Amino acid sequence: LKITEYAEQLLSGLDGLDWPSGTLTSQEQWIGKSKGASLKFTINDVEGLSLADDEKLLEVFTTRADTLFGVTFVTIAPEHPLLSKLADEGKLDEDTLKYVEVSTAKGDLERTKDQGSSSS
């Protein structure tokens, strides 16, 4: 379920509702529309890995463009096609492969719940 694809429609549907302000705020936060910028990072060559030109750009979204000059790494979601390619080429260690396997078996809500935990 991608609530963000319908964020504008959902938010406009809240207009005119006779709900307590706290409930409206909760709904707005749950919908989670974010304003920010999309940008593309160039992936440096990985020894022994052949990437097409379109695979060398990793698009990310941020609501904090002011922090971009301090970026030292970008995390790739377990479902990202680049991660599959890295796995197929033997570029991932066993711990990473295990994490990908466990993460992709979880649903969105379960993964979101895990964000605050230190366990893997």
Side-chain angles (χ1 to χ4, degrees), residues 92-99:
L92 302 178
D93 62 30
E94 288 300 317
D95 287 340
T96 303
L97 291 170
K98 182 179 178 184
Y99 173 79

Side-chain angles (χ1 to χ4, degrees), residues 96-112:
T96 303
L97 291 170
K98 182 179 178 184
Y99 173 79
V100 169
E101 182 181 338
V102 169
S103 294
T104 54
K106 294 180 180 181
D108 288 345
L109 292 176
E110 189 177 7
R111 284 170 65 179
T112 301

Side-chain angles (χ1 to χ4, degrees), residues 41-45 49-58:
F41 285 96
T42 300
I43 299 170
N44 293 331
D45 291 332
L49 183 65
S50 177
L51 294 175
D53 287 343
D54 63 332
E55 293 176 313
K56 291 183 180 182
L57 295 177
L58 184 63

Side-chain angles (χ1 to χ4, degrees), residues 13-119:
L14 295 175
D15 292 342
L17 291 178
D18 187 23
W19 289 2
S21 64
T23 302
L24 289 171
T25 300
S26 294
Q27 288 299 301
E28 289 169 354
Q29 291 172 349
W30 178 79
I31 293 167
K33 180 179 177 189
S34 296
K35 293 181 182 179
S38 290
L39 59 131
K40 295 178 181 177
F41 285 96
T42 300
I43 299 170
N44 293 331
D45 291 332
V46 177
E47 187 176 326
L49 183 65
S50 177
L51 294 175
D53 287 343
D54 63 332
E55 293 176 313
K56 291 183 180 182
L57 295 177
L58 184 63
E59 187 170 0
V60 300
F61 176 82
T62 183
T63 58
R64 294 288 313 272
D66 60 315
T67 63
L68 291 174
F69 291 110
V71 172
T72 56
F73 70 91
V74 176
T75 302
I76 302 172
E79 300 84 5
H80 195 282
L82 178 60
L83 203 59
S84 296
K85 189 161 192 160
L86 289 167
D88 292 345
E89 297 289 330
K91 301 296 180 186
L92 302 178
D93 62 30
E94 288 300 317
D95 287 340
T96 303
L97 291 170
K98 182 179 178 184
Y99 173 79
V100 169
E101 182 181 338
V102 169
S103 294
T104 54
K106 294 180 180 181
D108 288 345
L109 292 176
E110 189 177 7
R111 284 170 65 179
T112 301
K113 182 181 79 172
D114 290 347
Q115 285 182 352
S117 72
S118 60
S119 61

